[in-house]
Amino acid sequence: MKFRLSFLAIPAVAFAAACGGGGSSPTSPSSPSTPSTPSTPSTPSTPATPVLTNSVSVGDNFFDPANIQVTPGTTVTWSWPNGVSIHNVTFGDGQQSGDKGPGSSYSRTFSTAGTFNYTCTLHGGMSGSVLVKT
């Protein structure tokens, strides 16, 4: 039994000594750290200012451009190109395109000024906006 306790005590003492305290002894200088740079630069997913256009392409998990600006009375058209999965354009006010696939399009006329946010309800994170401004 005595042998077993001393067998366990030795690693515990060694572990405690390795952890060390913050004593006042000087530490050896460490090598200077080199700042790291990301391997791929990150870019914002949406432009800082909306793009002036009335056409949006529906891609797989993105709208291109995602944020647009038009004047009141403009009709905006979303187009589903060949090869894209099924998506939809759904606005907070309830207007929606329904689920559409390649070769489809959806249009909406914006009569009043404001920001109209939309999403694809089938794919989280797929969103955009229409800024209607005079």
Side-chain angles (χ1 to χ4, degrees), residues 1-131:
M1 179 77 167
K2 218 179 204 186
F3 177 74
R4 199 183 277 174
L5 286 178
S6 61
F7 180 72
L8 293 174
I10 292 171
V13 171
F15 178 76
C19 290
S24 61
S25 63
T27 58
S28 62
S30 61
S31 61
S33 65
T34 305
S36 63
T37 55
S39 59
T40 305
S42 61
T43 56
S45 59
T46 56
T49 56
V51 177
L52 300 174
T53 185
N54 66 337
S55 298
V56 177
S57 179
V58 180
D60 282 335
N61 300 320
F62 65 91
F63 295 104
D64 185 29
N67 301 311
I68 65 170
Q69 180 178 329
V70 298
T71 57
T74 301
T75 299
V76 176
T77 301
W78 287 261
S79 301
W80 283 251
N82 290 332
V84 73
S85 299
I86 294 175
H87 298 280
N88 61 54
V89 176
T90 303
F91 289 88
D93 63 5
Q95 288 196 32
Q96 62 178 323
S97 65
D99 296 346
K100 296 186 176 287
S104 300
S105 66
Y106 166 71
S107 296
R108 177 176 176 178
T109 302
F110 295 88
S111 302
T112 59
T115 300
F116 299 84
N117 296 311
Y118 61 91
T119 63
C120 171
T121 60
L122 301 175
H123 303 96
M126 189 173 168
S127 62
S129 67
V130 178
L131 172 61

